[in-house]
């Protein structure tokens, strides 16, 4: 859960409230009932509260604040490294007055750290990259392929270009479109190389 948590927290802390839940949702959907499911369900609803408030959907923010508080009620603080008391106080205040959510959304912390993109290791960065690709309408297939190439580099093929570009894609908000173009070009080039090699052996080259 740690990598998914940190990726989503970083996305949230960067102000991408709607996108943050995507880092948690796939993991959450595979959970059965229990405290972990309640924890992630509550966090997902919490980010939706902040998103609705940012869109001035006060009734949506208020209703979800009440629901999220129920999911998080009784869980320890911290829970999986996430400080929940501040989140629960925020939800209670928002349930009483939804305008509170627009003026004072809390920063999320993990293990006492305010997590941003620079604080993510490779696995969390890969998750964040996929979330940002979907949120930014980049081709997710390109990012998924780049993640796969980067993992191969880390497994010892001697390169680091995909790893470096993947970190740059996540961390460099202003340069993200340019970095994405570079990633796409490199993915296409490597795919062409693979196709050329395959063609030598299947008779099509």
């Amino acid at each position: 859960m740690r990598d998914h948590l940190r990726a989503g927290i970083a996305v949230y802390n960067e102000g991408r409230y709607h996108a943050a839940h995507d880092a948690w949702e796939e993991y959450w959907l595979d959970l059965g009932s229990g405290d972990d499911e309640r924890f992630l369900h509550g966090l997902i609803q919490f980010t939706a509260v902040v998103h609705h408030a940012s869109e001035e959907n006060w009734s949506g923010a208020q209703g979800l604040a009440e629901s999220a508080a129920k999911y998080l009620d009784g869980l320890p603080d911290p829970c999986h490294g996430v400080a929940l008391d501040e989140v629960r106080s925020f939800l209670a205040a928002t349930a009483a007055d939804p305008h509170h959510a627009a003026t004072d959304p809390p920063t999320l912390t993990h293990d006492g750290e305010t997590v941003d993109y620079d604080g993510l290791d490779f696995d969390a960065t890969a998750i964040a990259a996929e979330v940002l690709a979907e949120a930014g309408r980049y081709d997710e297939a390109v990012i998924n392929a780049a993640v796969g190439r980067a993992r191969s580099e880390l497994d010892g093929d001697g390169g680091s270009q995909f790893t470096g570009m993947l970190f740059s894609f996540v961390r460099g908000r202003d340069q993200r479109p340019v970095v994405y173009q570079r990633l796409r070009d490199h993915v296409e080039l490597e795919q062409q190389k693979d196709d050329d090699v395959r063609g030598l052996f299947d008779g099509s080259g």
Side-chain angles (χ1 to χ4, degrees):
M1 186 189 293
R2 178 183 173 86
D3 293 326
H4 288 270
L5 270 179
R6 289 179 68 85
I9 289 171
V11 172
Y12 168 88
N13 284 341
E14 289 287 331
R16 308 295 293 271
Y17 305 130
H18 183 266
H21 80 277
D22 287 328
W24 304 323
E25 190 169 77
E26 183 178 358
Y27 188 93
W28 165 65
L29 289 172
D30 288 334
L31 293 174
S33 61
D35 285 354
D36 286 356
E37 191 279 336
R38 288 175 52 218
F39 168 64
L40 284 180
H41 203 155
L43 278 186
I44 288 168
Q45 290 198 349
F46 156 73
T47 59
V49 169
V50 181
H51 169 69
H52 283 311
S54 72
E55 299 287 315
E56 299 185 355
N57 177 3
W58 308 121
S59 62
Q62 189 170 36
L64 280 172
E66 295 170 354
S67 177
K70 291 178 182 177
Y71 281 113
L72 298 179
D73 183 48
L75 295 177
D77 178 66
C79 185
H80 289 287
V82 178
L84 287 186
D85 280 350
E86 186 178 0
V87 172
R88 285 187 285 234
S89 295
F90 165 83
L91 291 171
T94 301
D97 176 10
H99 293 80
H100 177 82
T103 59
D104 193 26
T107 298
L108 291 178
T109 62
H110 184 260
D111 290 339
E113 172 192 358
T114 300
V115 182
D116 59 16
Y117 295 139
D118 290 341
L120 302 182
D121 64 12
F122 174 78
D123 287 324
T125 296
I127 294 167
E130 292 164 356
V131 169
L132 292 170
E134 181 176 357
R137 298 179 181 172
Y138 297 100
D139 188 341
E140 294 172 63
V142 168
I143 299 301
N144 290 337
V147 168
R149 298 281 181 180
R151 289 193 189 281
S152 295
E153 292 174 347
L154 293 174
D155 287 339
D157 77 352
S160 63
Q161 65 175 349
F162 281 99
T163 305
M165 283 190 290
L166 199 65
F167 276 103
S168 296
F169 175 76
V170 170
R171 294 177 176 179
R173 175 188 296 183
D174 294 338
Q175 291 77 39
R176 192 169 291 147
V178 175
V179 175
Y180 169 76
Q181 294 295 335
R182 291 175 57 208
L183 271 172
R184 187 183 66 181
D185 291 346
H186 280 74
V187 164
E188 291 176 352
L189 178 61
E190 292 302 314
Q191 185 61 55
Q192 184 60 55
K193 290 179 182 178
D194 291 346
D195 291 344
D196 289 346
V197 171
R198 194 174 299 112
L200 293 175
F201 294 93
D202 66 11
S204 61

